[in-house]
Amino acid sequence: MTKKLYLPLLVALVAVLTSCGSKMGELSSDYFTVTPQVLEAVGGKVPATINGKFPEKYFNKKAVVEVTPVLKWEGGEAKGQSAVFQGEKVEGNEQTISYKMGGSYTMKTSFDYVPEMAKSELYLEFKATIGKKTVEIPAVKIADGVISTSEIVEQTLGSATPALGADAFQRVIKEKHDAQIMFLIQQANVRASELKTAKEFNEEVKNVSEAANKKISNIEISAYASPDGGYDLNKGLAENRQDNTAKVINKNLKKDKIEATVDTKYTAQDWEGFQELVSKSNIQDKELILRVLSMYQDPEQREQEIKNISSVYKTLADEVLPQLRRSRLTLNYEVIGKSDEEISKLAESDAKQLNLEELLYAATLTNDAAKKEAIYTKATQNFPNDYRAYNNLGKLAYQAGNLDKAENYFKKAASIKDAPEVNMNLGLIALNKGDKAAAESYLGKAAGAEELNEALGNLYIAQGQYDKAVNAFGDIKTNSAALAQILAKDYNKAKNTLAGVATPDAYTDYLMAVLGARTNNTSMVTSSLKNAVAKNPALAKKAASDLEFAKYFTNADFMNIIK
């Protein structure tokens, strides 16, 4: 009798357990979708959005399931953020999944990119319990990864252009020498006392004329009358002062056989000069006088209104107006510097004969990096308190691929002056080290550096901000600019950029191959990749695992290139 009752009871219990989904077995990959379908590195991260589903009559009412994305590669793995789900009879705060209806969910995860991820697979791992019992749910592969094209910025950064500490050399410098001949009130004759001034002025003209490195442009004579008195009277005075001054100057030039153009002009009533002198004075009621000048434009009304200020008019007549009765003499001339040939020779033979600007300029006259380095080194020795030579030595080291040496020079330059170009270059160093926060900080202090936009473009690539990178690069033709355009899917612009790179290297060709793969141009893929591998054989190994070329892994021409 007992045996007869036991068998039906066991069958009923199995049925109950089965109906509750106690087995919770393997899940098909069909229940999961991943965006993007092939994972891709963006700004040093590998992001993924996973949409999953537990099917109907699967999720046990008493089960708790922890789901963890895991990116696996040969020799390693990285775990993403887990999510926990619970059955209908579990008391808790996790998302509840219906046994009868099943349930959908979305998980966002991100992994820190490492190069080994280029050949990897994304799995979901499950940790399930029903009460105190552990239930095994096999891991499910849901995606391949990782496209790492954005990480090529680490290589293209080497061809970025560091900022130069530019020289301020000017071969022709414009100079001038001024003097004034003063006149008495209502007189235009050049007094004997003022002839001395004219003679001293002429001596300066003579010195400039005889100097080997100077050239006279012209002599200007500007004659004035003070604004007191009628306009006609002042006009005649100013004109006569102009003519009389010109006679003296021309006489002296002729005596010393100096050829120079003499240009003359006169101002009948020198209100501008009057206003300037008043504004610089400590005269009582100065502000009232200046207000009169701004209120009235008619010369006669101005004069009358100022005379009405009786308390100060005598002071104006004694201290200001006499200074306006004059002829201003201006010698304009050019100082002509050393020729390029002279500067280059002295930079090598006797650099101490060059000033700082000439020495820095000398380095721009050669394309030989060793000669540039020697010149900048001399500049640091002769002018140790200027940052530019240290900065430019850092630029040379950077372009030679010696980043530690470059950083030392840039830091030395920064210790002398916190200059925009030095900050920009330290930003490039930080980017090469993968320190994006430091790079952003340095570049934020680099406003005014000529090459800043290119540096910012590289930063934006590293941050995964591809549209901003494209805008920053503008029409710059570099590998980094083309990389930004590829990542932003502006393929036509990227092709034009790569074609315009001044000194194409292996990565120029590699990016062209990537562009060919993205635009389904097989011949571009194979021809460009062949050129890239010829220049840098290590790129064959990279291409062999680069998912940009996944659909070419069975192409005979492609395989022959990377073997």
Side-chain angles (χ1 to χ4, degrees), residues 182-202:
M182 307 305 296
F183 296 89
L184 296 177
I185 186 171
Q186 296 187 5
Q187 291 187 20
N189 59 300
V190 179
R191 294 171 292 159
S193 61
E194 300 304 308
L195 290 174
K196 181 181 177 183
T197 300
K199 184 177 180 181
E200 290 173 350
F201 179 81
N202 195 70

Side-chain angles (χ1 to χ4, degrees), residues 24 60 62-66 127-135:
M24 295 187 68
N60 187 287
K62 296 181 179 181
V64 175
V65 180
E66 182 181 34
K127 181 181 178 182
T129 58
I130 298 177
K132 295 182 179 181
K133 180 182 177 182
T134 299
V135 179

Side-chain angles (χ1 to χ4, degrees), residues 355-376:
N355 62 38
L356 174 59
E357 304 307 333
E358 290 171 331
L359 196 49
L360 292 175
Y361 175 69
T364 68
L365 299 176
T366 177
N367 292 321
D368 187 319
K371 289 183 178 180
K372 284 179 181 287
E373 184 175 7
I375 293 170
Y376 287 136

Side-chain angles (χ1 to χ4, degrees), residues 2-29:
T2 302
K3 290 182 179 180
K4 290 181 180 179
L5 287 172
Y6 178 77
L7 185 58
L9 184 61
L10 181 60
V11 172
L13 179 60
V14 169
V16 168
L17 288 174
T18 303
S19 70
C20 292
S22 60
K23 294 178 69 176
M24 295 187 68
E26 182 176 356
L27 288 167
S28 168
S29 61

Side-chain angles (χ1 to χ4, degrees), residues 61-64 84-97:
K61 294 181 180 181
K62 296 181 179 181
V64 175
V84 180
F85 306 91
Q86 64 187 33
E88 295 167 284
K89 292 187 177 181
V90 175
E91 293 184 3
N93 297 319
E94 312 298 345
Q95 181 179 342
T96 299
I97 304 297

Side-chain angles (χ1 to χ4, degrees), residues 35 52 81 101 117 120 125 160 178 192 218 220 230 245 292 297-298 390 403 414 458 473 486 494 499 507 509 542 559:
T35 304
Q81 182 64 41
M101 304 296 295
M117 290 178 179
S120 59
E125 292 185 348
D178 290 320
N218 72 330
E220 294 179 7
T245 303
V292 168
Q297 299 302 315
D298 180 72
Y390 292 105
L403 298 184
N458 281 288
F473 283 120
I486 290 172
Y507 280 94
D509 294 310
K542 176 176 175 59
M559 298 306 294

